[in-house]
């Protein structure tokens, strides 16, 4: 029985959000269902924010205008 298939995506999102990126990537090898839930962009967004990464919209717009 694969618990990721049985649990709602919101719950697995919460569970996976406690893992570090390396562990998540390793866990994504467990099955296709795990991989699809782990590669959710919302989950990685939370991890980036928790690591201190931020999007600098002003820098992006300046770059786009220059190029």
């Amino acid at each position: 029985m694969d618990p990721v298939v049985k649990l709602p995506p919101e719950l697995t999102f919460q569970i996976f959000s406690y893992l570090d990126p390396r562990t998540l990537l390793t866990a994504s090898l467990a099955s296709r269902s795990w991989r699809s839930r782990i590669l959710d962009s919302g989950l990685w967004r939370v991890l980036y924010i928790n690591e201190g990464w931020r999007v600098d919209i002003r820098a992006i717009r300046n770059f786009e205008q220059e190029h």
Side-chain angles (χ1 to χ4, degrees):
M1 182 175 106
D2 187 353
V4 170
V5 174
K6 301 291 183 186
L7 294 172
E10 298 82 12
L11 188 54
T12 56
F13 179 93
Q14 288 297 318
I15 293 168
F16 288 147
S17 70
Y18 287 99
L19 300 176
D20 63 280
R22 183 178 301 246
T23 304
L24 277 174
L25 292 175
T26 302
S28 73
L29 301 173
S31 71
R32 288 184 179 144
S33 58
W34 283 57
R35 183 172 178 80
S36 68
R37 299 268 176 104
I38 288 171
L39 294 181
D40 180 277
S41 62
L43 176 62
W44 288 92
R45 187 176 303 117
V46 168
L47 291 172
Y48 286 136
I49 291 169
N50 289 343
E51 289 291 322
W53 290 73
R54 299 281 188 256
V55 175
D56 187 350
I57 298 296
R58 192 176 323 148
I60 292 171
R61 289 194 179 132
N62 289 340
F63 178 82
E64 288 174 342
Q65 288 175 354
E66 291 174 6
H67 297 88

